[in-house]
Amino acid sequence: MSFAALGLPESITRGVRAVGYTSPTPIQREAIPIILPGHDLVAAAQTGSGKTAAFILPILSRLLDGPRALRALVLVPTRELAAQVEEAAMQYARYADLSVGAVFGGVPIPPQERMIMHEGVDVLIATPGRLLDLHGRHSVSLDEVEILVLDEADRMVDMGFAPDLQRILRLLPTRRQTLMFSATMPAELNAVAREALHNPRRLALAPSVARPAPAIAQAFYPVARHLKADLLHELLERSPDRTAIVFTRTKRGADRLYRVLQQRGHKTGVLHGDRSQSQRERALRDFKRGRVEVLVATDIASRGIDVDDVTHVINYDVPRSPDDYIHRIGRTGRMDATGDAFTLITPEDREEVAAIEKTLGRRIERIELDDFDYDRRRPADAHGRHEGHGRRQEGKSRGDHRHTHVEPDVDHGRPARTRGGSHGHVPPPGGHATPAADAHGRRPKRNATDRRSRRRM
Ligand code: AMP
């Protein structure tokens, strides 16, 4: 099926062709015929499904005729997403006489005021807080808005924007078309949706949580907390051609990890809310251009990153919620690409790990790296116990990669400890026992051939 067959006009399909798309994605096929005639829509679209074009293309088409004014407003949770939607919309609109602009916090307000007041925009992409600031300064008029989009609406609610959204809804004309895209439907969003939408069509009736694309291979890597940076380094080392996003929970954690990875020779960048706008833009640009191979980021940054060919998402810290997990790993395997999603799990993460697996409806494979010393003590812990040693099983190799699988019945979050000194084990189906551990639970070193076996990661 072609874009023209969906009813999009020539000036828009030309823009789409210029970007290089040949046929619409499923969400585009479904949503465009609903949006073009003016219906309200609630759509549950997976990250990377092509949802931006699914709403921008019909919006541009609807705006082709009519007065020049701010007629379409797209609300997004983060400045990164605002910049990306703006960039995409500008490309699609390149053969249409329409202008697109974006406003978001963290940068000076006057240039944004000039853009809106003097240059004028037909489509404005905005984060809620900055839009309200601009409105409070009488720099933007929302009286002519005909189409409102709430993009990644669940994320906006997660980030505490629900009251701002409600305030914005009251500033908009009631006669308008409203489109809402959201991977999940938290209760708080229901209230916003009830107020915003009128008799909406629904697409892919939202499952309570979005499912990650099947092309993403997921694995959990149990490890003691003090060995996380070493294990991450090993995982990165064992992957020659990778572009990886590494997620941490906190901004300070991101900065710390960034420094560690740099010291160890990885081309690293960092992206989080405390970095200035120009630092964030530079990090993303360097990542897109391949100057940075490992981008350390916090969750806030996770939704907005639209970089093709991210081969790996690595959760250095387990995400707080299953939703965050799904959104983080959605950064890889975009469109039809494949990707790997690795999560380092420690004994402390047991609850979060259980929640993620419950949501996914399946258990994620645990993997241990061969030739990684899991038994190393914390430097100060001379008399402490060895962390994480004990019963390990060697399972099947995936392709030419060799790893050690932890038996399926161990606790979420770590390899089973040997209880009462026993080294007994129950081999998994088709598995082989690892070489026997010594008195300290250490396994013998492997030979050079083993060491060479690498997993593409
Ligand atoms: P989104 O889900 O909107 O973030 O889009 C994910 C990625 O898919 C972006 O990099 C888009 O450029 C790309 N994309 C969107 N629509 C198409 C299409 N019809 N064909 C190929 N790529 C697309």
Side-chain angles (χ1 to χ4, degrees):
M1 173 184 270
S2 69
F3 281 96
L6 291 173
L8 296 170
E10 166 63 15
S11 56
I12 303 300
T13 54
R14 264 183 83 196
V16 172
R17 274 198 303 278
V19 179
Y21 306 163
T22 47
S23 57
T25 64
I27 178 81
Q28 291 162 5
R29 271 200 299 276
E30 302 259 354
I32 291 172
I34 294 174
I35 302 171
L36 267 180
H39 297 296
D40 279 11
L41 172 69
V42 181
Q46 290 190 2
T47 326
S49 59
K51 69 179 163 57
T52 312
F55 63 80
I56 291 286
L57 297 176
I59 287 177
L60 295 173
S61 307
R62 283 175 62 75
L63 298 185
L64 284 176
D65 303 320
R68 303 301 304 262
L70 170 44
R71 292 164 63 206
L73 175 66
V74 180
L75 294 178
V76 295
T78 64
R79 40 187 158 169
E80 279 81 13
L81 188 57
Q84 273 168 31
V85 173
E86 179 192 29
E87 195 184 322
M90 280 174 158
Q91 295 199 7
Y92 306 141
R94 75 172 86 168
Y95 299 108
D97 184 21
L98 292 169
S99 57
V100 177
V103 293
F104 39 80
V107 293
I109 217 165
Q112 298 181 346
E113 290 181 313
R114 277 196 295 281
M115 173 195 63
I116 296 172
M117 295 166 78
H118 302 310
E119 295 161 34
V121 285
D122 301 283
V123 181
L124 184 67
I125 296 116
T127 51
R130 179 50 62 100
L131 183 73
L132 285 170
D133 287 348
L134 284 159
H135 190 268
R137 292 161 65 116
H138 305 288
S139 307
V140 66
S141 160
L142 302 174
D143 298 344
E144 307 297 320
V145 172
E146 296 167 25
I147 309 173
L148 168 70
V149 180
L150 304 173
D151 190 16
E152 303 207 346
D154 48 353
R155 189 60 163 188
M156 288 198 275
V157 166
D158 278 358
M159 290 171 64
F161 282 137
D164 282 355
L165 292 180
Q166 261 148 350
R167 281 169 62 200
I168 293 169
L169 287 176
R170 282 164 211 148
L171 299 172
L172 296 172
T174 45
R175 247 179 77 92
R176 57 158 204 272
Q177 179 181 20
T178 305
L179 315 171
M180 187 168 96
F181 290 80
S182 192
T184 61
M185 255 298 179
E188 243 186 314
L189 184 55
N190 264 322
V192 175
R194 262 199 308 277
E195 185 169 343
L197 294 148
H198 299 286
N199 194 17
R201 304 285 198 277
R202 289 176 192 273
L203 271 185
L205 275 175
S208 63
V209 170
R211 308 262 160 210
I216 302 172
Q218 302 172 60
F220 285 173
Y221 286 82
V223 65
R225 196 155 60 173
H226 69 283
L227 295 178
K228 278 168 76 172
D230 291 339
L231 184 69
L232 173 66
H233 171 69
E234 259 322 293
L235 284 167
L236 292 170
E237 282 287 291
R238 293 181 190 210
S239 69
D241 303 309
R242 43 108 179 103
T243 319
I245 301 181
V246 177
F247 284 105
T248 61
R249 252 187 215 178
T250 64
K251 297 177 250 189
R252 275 178 49 202
D255 283 333
R256 247 191 329 264
L257 189 59
Y258 164 72
R259 284 192 295 273
V260 169
L261 292 176
Q262 272 209 321
Q263 276 161 10
R264 297 194 181 188
H266 299 285
K267 291 187 202 162
T268 311
V270 64
L271 191 68
H272 60 63
D274 279 355
R275 307 282 288 174
S276 71
Q277 182 63 15
S278 64
Q279 286 173 321
R280 291 161 67 145
E281 282 169 7
R282 186 164 355 106
L284 263 181
R285 205 170 42 240
D286 287 350
F287 189 54
K288 283 183 184 175
R289 293 183 182 161
R291 280 202 290 264
V292 158
E293 292 171 357
V294 183
L295 183 65
V296 181
T298 55
D299 280 303
I300 289 292
S302 83
R303 293 254 178 148
I305 303 171
D306 174 19
V307 179
D308 290 336
D309 305 327
V310 172
T311 59
H312 291 77
V313 164
I314 304 178
N315 294 314
Y316 183 77
D317 297 321
V318 173
R320 287 196 183 87
S321 74
D323 274 11
D324 283 339
Y325 177 81
I326 285 160
H327 283 287
R328 284 185 186 184
I329 74 171
R331 298 297 108 205
T332 185
R334 291 173 82 68
M335 300 304 295
D336 292 331
T338 55
D340 283 295
F342 297 161
T343 304
L344 273 51
I345 60 175
T346 72
E348 294 80 6
D349 301 319
R350 180 190 310 215
E351 279 175 25
E352 289 86 348
V353 166
I356 290 167
E357 290 188 317
K358 187 162 173 239
T359 301
L360 295 173
R362 69 187 176 89
R363 192 173 189 283
I364 302 294
E365 181 181 30
R366 267 68 167 168
I367 294 177
E368 285 187 30
L369 293 182
D370 282 350
D371 282 333
F372 180 80
D373 184 1
Y374 283 92
D375 304 325
R376 216 167 327 140
R377 302 172 189 198
R378 210 175 276 115
D381 187 20
H383 305 288
R385 291 199 296 165
H386 296 292
E387 285 250 19
H389 73 252
R391 298 183 295 171
R392 296 201 180 107
Q393 311 272 316
E394 186 154 294
K396 60 190 185 305
S397 311
R398 267 202 219 151
D400 64 343
H401 316 304
R402 212 167 291 196
H403 3 253
T404 303
H405 291 232
V406 180
E407 61 204 15
D409 64 344
V410 291
D411 227 341
H412 292 299
R414 67 170 169 199
R417 274 180 192 279
T418 305
R419 290 205 188 89
S422 159
H423 289 287
H425 60 258
V426 184
H432 309 284
T434 44
D438 68 13
H440 301 288
R442 293 193 187 96
R443 286 169 302 150
K445 283 270 177 245
R446 290 174 191 281
N447 62 28
T449 321
D450 281 333
R451 197 168 313 211
R452 272 200 306 277
S453 72
R454 293 284 187 258
R455 170 156 204 250
R456 185 185 77 79
M457 62 129 299

